[in-house]
Amino acid sequence: MDDIKRVAWAACNTFRGLIDPAEYKDYILIMLFLKFVSDVWKQHLEENMRELKGDDVRVQRRMQRERFVMPEGSTFDELYAARDADNIGERVDIALEAIENTNKAKLGGVFRNVSFNSQTKLGETKDRNRRIKNLLEDFAKLDLRPGHVVEDEAIGEAYIYLIERFASEAGKKAGEFYTPLQVSQVLAKLVAPLPGDRICDPACGSGSLLIETAYEVGGKDFALFGQEVNGGTHALAKLNMFLHDIDGARIEWGDTLNNPLLIEDDHLMAFDVVVANPPFSLDKWGAENAPSDRFKRWTRGIPPKSTGDWAFITHMVETAKPKLGRVAVVVPHGVLFRGGAEGKIREAMIRENLLDAVIGLPSNLFQSTSIPVAVLVFDRRREKGGSRAKSTDVLFIDASRDFKQAKTQNILEAAHTAKIIDTFKARMDADKYARVVPAAEIEENGFNLNIPRYVDTFEAEAEIDVKAVQAEIDQLEAELVEVKKRMAGYLRELGADA
Amino acid sequence: MHIHLCNERPYCVIEFLKNLATVRNGVAFREAVRHVEGAPIAVVQAGDIGLEGNIRLEELLRISSVPTQGDARSLTPGEVLLQSRGQSYRAGVVPPHAGSMVAAASVLIMTPGPALLPAYLAQFLNSPSTQMELRARATGATIANLKKSELEQLLVPVPSLGDQEKLVALGAALRVQLRIEARLAELRRLQLRALMKERAERNRGR
């Protein structure tokens, strides 16, 4: 497992300085995928040859039923053997295209955004060939055959590890493809998906939040859906699913707000669970198209054109199953209190009894921003006729002070996450941490959800023990006299006038 | 090169550091050092050198093996470590320890010769005027970096060993004095606040 991480990370040296981490990650991750499917293919081919005693026709027939079929000339080993070829970049592209075409249902469009033959990305022919050769040689060191990899999840874990490392290198650009694992875990546990649930992330990035939420089900009885606007990131999400052994996920490429692609019978698909870490306060999100939205999502109001937060939230709530679906979304704090159109949408959501909890998280959890964020939980079971229609209060949790400080980022530790989830499940007041707030009180506050209005975290100033202070002063004064005496001694010895 | 100086007192000379101590670089790790609980080798990184030059053994990361690049010689007690990157360059003396210990590349290692006491060298390096000079000698486009060759050119005043001992003791006493005075000021402020409150309450009761 550590070998995979180390080799893949070391392979990045081929690109460092040449292109941006946000771009070279695609080359590394695709190469990891290619090596993995090639190694699996090789192992199965060997096993079948042995089992069917070299009956070529039967072996071929069996290989055509593999999870991924590798057309001739497209395996990693074949490319590695051709690593000195003048047109190695073109060969890799042809191989990827062949793999994509042969496995169209699963891999359609996955490699379209990356060209190993691109002069602008990888340089002039000579440099480009050298770089691709380096890359092939680095990955040739890995043995990813099943059974040789320590655990089944190792490949998937290595993939997420790389995405995480790329995110830290890419800094501010990372926001669009990565949600820190600890935040994903909080969201996943808040929505508590059940076996058989349909789970969706309408701004899925590289898919790690979806996968984390799916893991929460325990077992494989779930259906995953996602949509991502960035073509390269969308491809990463698809590969991420395969490497985590989730073949059935439907990940669409496109703009969720203007062109939702998860459609069923001309309606938006409805999900049991919707999670997302959408872009914060997205400018130009498409407000001008909102009045003519064919799915009529914006009945509560159209969010401002320069701040798309409530657009994502509205979409998420609209795609949660009526009277059943749960929604958890990461938002910047402005979402809690901004007025105007946003205030009206917020009020409508609260009046419809959809808002279940507001959770403040610590600042500096993300690579892409240092601001503190909050998580909003909506629960459509609270709608009229739903199983929780009688709960009308909203749980506020202020978890902003619970974190571990690391070098450049704050970290939520397991205990911090557990405290949030336990409090959420118990739905009880906790001193300076959580409070169950009646709907009427939120209305009195003008539907402002700013957390300090509801959770009092003020620490009273400690009483000063005057006597103890004086005693410490006396003791320190005595020590000071002693030190000065010692110093005078040294100064005398050193010939200075003390 | 010997320059007699220090108010012409015969026992005091000024000397380039390279003539008083050998300087070497720490080990260049290619990746972030990851702690392995109970591993045999302790690693001193720049951040492990405390404000007053103290190095806390129990807080050091531990690793199982040292990558081969660079000089991986183990540190010996009495060697002096200096942070080599950033805006301040804290120095500390390697404390007595069991087992192997190495310094990372963000640290320069000095082995003082017979004319210098380790504690004296560390105290000299930590003094504000030396810090200013080190800052001036550091180069680097984004993060200031103090090179071994630059450190070797630093001029160090060299009193007799007996005097070095007394100067170190005087420096230690000065640090204690500053600590006590800072705490005293804090306590006096607390006292003042308590008194303001108490007098106001008395006034209300009148």
Side-chain angles (χ1 to χ4, degrees):
Chain A
M1 167 73 179
D2 280 348
D3 268 358
I4 308 176
K5 291 179 181 174
R6 203 168 34 77
V7 167
W9 190 244
C12 300
N13 284 333
T14 301
F15 299 116
R16 288 208 174 92
L18 180 72
I19 49 175
D20 216 62
E23 290 193 35
Y24 69 64
K25 70 178 192 313
D26 298 349
Y27 292 95
I28 300 287
L29 293 171
I30 285 178
M31 203 45 95
L32 179 68
F33 179 76
L34 178 64
K35 178 76 169 112
F36 173 64
V37 290
S38 299
D39 281 4
V40 172
W41 176 263
K42 186 163 74 180
Q43 169 134 334
H44 289 183
L45 188 64
E46 283 165 8
E47 284 168 4
N48 285 329
M49 285 296 260
R50 232 184 355 258
E51 210 177 297
L52 301 171
K53 301 191 174 60
D55 182 342
D56 215 29
V57 179
R58 285 178 68 201
V59 170
Q60 286 308 324
R61 204 181 302 148
R62 203 179 265 189
M63 290 308 286
Q64 290 309 309
R65 292 197 295 269
E66 278 287 300
R67 190 172 160 220
F68 291 105
V69 176
M70 301 295 280
E72 209 176 321
S74 66
T75 63
F76 181 89
D77 287 353
E78 286 162 306
L79 292 171
Y80 177 70
R83 64 191 182 281
D84 287 315
D86 291 340
N87 63 339
I88 182 66
E90 191 186 356
R91 283 192 189 206
V92 177
D93 279 355
I94 291 170
L96 292 177
E97 198 182 332
I99 295 172
E100 198 179 310
N101 287 336
T102 317
N103 304 277
K104 215 161 204 148
K106 287 179 179 169
L107 293 176
V110 163
F111 303 124
R112 87 187 118 200
N113 286 290
V114 172
S115 169
F116 282 76
N117 206 27
S118 158
Q119 188 161 320
T120 43
K121 297 268 170 66
L122 300 181
E124 297 279 344
T125 314
K126 209 171 140 201
D127 289 335
R128 187 164 72 238
N129 287 351
R130 182 176 49 79
R131 286 182 182 117
I132 297 171
K133 185 181 167 189
N134 281 344
L135 199 59
L136 288 164
E137 285 178 345
D138 280 339
F139 276 91
K141 293 174 199 151
L142 283 177
D143 184 351
L144 302 179
R145 282 176 295 169
H148 293 250
V149 176
V150 193
E151 310 137 32
D152 284 351
E153 307 91 41
I155 290 278
E157 271 181 39
Y159 190 84
I160 294 226
Y161 162 84
L162 285 171
I163 290 181
E164 193 181 343
R165 294 280 306 252
F166 288 128
S168 80
E169 284 219 341
K172 291 223 174 292
K173 286 184 196 153
E176 67 187 49
F177 61 83
Y178 181 68
T179 305
L181 179 66
Q182 325 124 31
V183 178
S184 296
Q185 282 169 342
V186 170
L187 261 70
K189 287 177 193 299
L190 286 172
V191 289
L194 301 168
D197 274 359
R198 275 175 153 194
I199 303 167
C200 175
D201 181 345
C204 69
S206 53
S208 44
L209 172 58
L210 259 182
I211 289 170
E212 202 54 47
T213 312
Y215 274 167
E216 200 55 34
V217 176
K220 291 257 173 198
D221 186 13
F222 51 74
L224 294 191
F225 299 84
Q227 185 165 345
E228 169 57 39
V229 68
N230 180 307
T233 311
H234 161 256
L236 291 189
K238 285 192 103 163
L239 296 184
N240 204 356
M241 296 297 151
F242 299 132
L243 294 176
H244 280 89
D245 203 16
I246 302 171
D247 279 4
R250 182 172 155 196
I251 309 289
E252 298 288 349
W253 176 27
D255 175 350
T256 290
L257 298 178
N258 293 290
N259 184 24
L261 294 168
L262 295 166
I263 308 288
E264 209 172 32
D265 302 332
D266 212 26
H267 287 90
L268 288 173
M269 278 178 91
F271 307 98
D272 299 282
V273 162
V274 188
V275 286
N277 170 23
F280 291 164
S281 304
L282 185 66
D283 193 9
K284 301 186 186 114
W285 61 270
E288 64 282 6
N289 302 326
S292 57
D293 180 41
R294 70 184 172 113
F295 302 109
K296 311 226 169 345
R297 282 171 291 175
W298 319 110
T299 50
R300 296 178 189 87
I302 298 170
K305 62 177 182 216
S306 60
T307 330
D309 299 310
W310 278 99
F312 280 104
I313 301 172
T314 305
H315 172 86
M316 292 172 79
V317 170
E318 288 298 304
T319 52
K321 282 185 183 170
K323 293 176 202 156
L324 274 178
R326 283 99 65 208
V327 173
V329 54
V330 182
V331 294
H333 275 246
V335 165
L336 306 179
F337 52 76
R338 283 193 297 253
E342 293 180 281
K344 290 200 179 96
I345 301 170
R346 194 168 58 233
E347 179 181 337
M349 293 261 185
I350 296 166
R351 284 196 190 280
E352 287 171 46
N353 198 27
L354 294 169
L355 183 64
D356 192 40
V358 179
I359 299 159
L361 296 182
S363 58
N364 213 14
L365 287 178
F366 290 78
Q367 255 111 12
S368 47
T369 173
S370 60
I371 58 165
V373 297
V375 176
L376 294 182
V377 182
F378 296 90
D379 192 340
R380 294 195 66 170
R381 290 175 301 183
R382 292 168 52 125
E383 285 174 332
K384 214 171 175 184
S387 62
R388 291 190 59 212
K390 285 190 178 141
S391 321
T392 54
D393 45 29
V394 176
L395 174 67
F396 282 79
I397 299 179
D398 183 351
S400 61
R401 291 167 302 163
D402 291 346
F403 59 87
K404 186 183 157 199
Q405 207 163 6
K407 248 183 189 165
T408 53
Q409 254 177 295
N410 291 334
I411 294 171
L412 280 183
E413 292 193 307
H416 303 135
T417 307
K419 191 175 168 192
I420 295 173
I421 301 305
D422 290 348
T423 311
F424 178 74
K425 283 185 183 156
R427 222 176 164 76
M428 302 262 279
D429 289 359
D431 190 32
K432 297 191 182 1
Y433 186 71
R435 193 156 82 82
V436 181
V437 178
E441 188 178 332
I442 297 175
E443 189 171 353
E444 276 167 31
N445 275 296
F447 298 96
N448 182 323
L449 298 176
N450 203 12
I451 300 168
R453 287 197 182 212
Y454 306 100
V455 184
D456 182 9
T457 54
F458 181 73
E459 298 278 354
E461 204 179 346
E463 272 297 310
I464 300 166
D465 183 343
V466 182
K467 269 192 189 153
V469 167
Q470 189 54 50
E472 196 181 338
I473 288 175
D474 292 344
Q475 191 198 332
L476 287 175
E477 295 280 13
E479 279 176 33
L480 195 58
V481 170
E482 202 50 45
V483 170
K484 283 185 173 166
K485 211 153 77 188
R486 230 167 45 226
M487 286 175 82
Y490 297 135
L491 287 168
R492 247 194 320 276
E493 285 176 36
L494 284 162
D497 293 324
Chain B
M1 183 170 110
H2 289 257
I3 309 165
H4 288 262
L5 217 113
C6 297
N7 303 330
E8 280 122 35
R9 289 160 77 161
Y11 52 80
C12 179
V13 293
I14 277 198
E15 183 70 89
F16 286 115
L17 181 65
K18 67 173 178 190
N19 296 330
L20 298 164
T22 55
V23 183
R24 66 181 204 271
N25 290 305
V27 183
F29 291 91
R30 276 188 69 190
E31 294 182 357
V33 183
R34 283 178 192 235
H35 179 68
V36 180
E37 199 59 53
I41 306 166
V43 183
V44 184
Q45 295 175 287
D48 296 322
I49 304 172
L51 264 180
E52 293 184 357
N54 50 325
I55 296 165
R56 293 166 77 129
L57 293 175
E58 65 279 9
E59 285 175 12
L60 299 181
L61 293 185
R62 305 195 73 88
I63 53 171
S64 333
S65 62
V66 181
T68 45
Q69 303 101 318
D71 190 346
R73 240 180 305 157
S74 191
L75 300 175
T76 47
E79 284 185 309
V80 178
L81 305 182
L82 179 75
Q83 297 175 333
S84 61
R85 306 218 171 122
Q87 292 300 311
S88 67
Y89 309 90
R90 288 203 290 270
V93 180
V94 176
H97 57 273
S100 207
M101 187 190 280
V102 293
S106 52
V107 170
L108 286 164
I109 306 152
M110 286 156 277
T111 315
L116 272 189
L117 290 181
Y120 170 78
L121 177 57
Q123 180 169 300
F124 168 73
L125 292 168
N126 282 328
S127 71
S129 54
T130 313
Q131 287 286 309
M132 268 172 66
E133 171 150 14
L134 292 177
R135 210 163 301 154
R137 285 175 178 272
T139 50
T142 47
I143 298 173
N145 183 26
L146 184 66
K147 284 189 189 146
K148 171 177 168 263
S149 54
E150 281 294 334
L151 180 64
E152 284 174 332
Q153 294 304 314
L154 188 73
L155 283 167
V156 184
V158 190
S160 72
L161 288 177
D163 279 354
Q164 286 183 36
E165 229 168 84
K166 286 170 202 145
L167 290 161
V168 168
L170 185 62
L174 174 63
R175 284 192 293 277
V176 174
Q177 183 190 339
L178 293 174
R179 235 185 354 248
I180 293 176
E181 283 172 348
R183 177 68 184 150
L184 270 175
E186 201 180 315
L187 290 167
R188 292 279 183 216
R189 271 194 290 273
L190 274 180
Q191 198 175 38
L192 181 63
R193 208 166 65 222
L195 279 172
M196 287 196 282
K197 211 169 147 195
E198 191 250 343
R199 291 284 129 175
E201 272 165 19
R202 216 177 256 208
N203 194 23
R204 193 179 55 182
R206 199 172 275 168

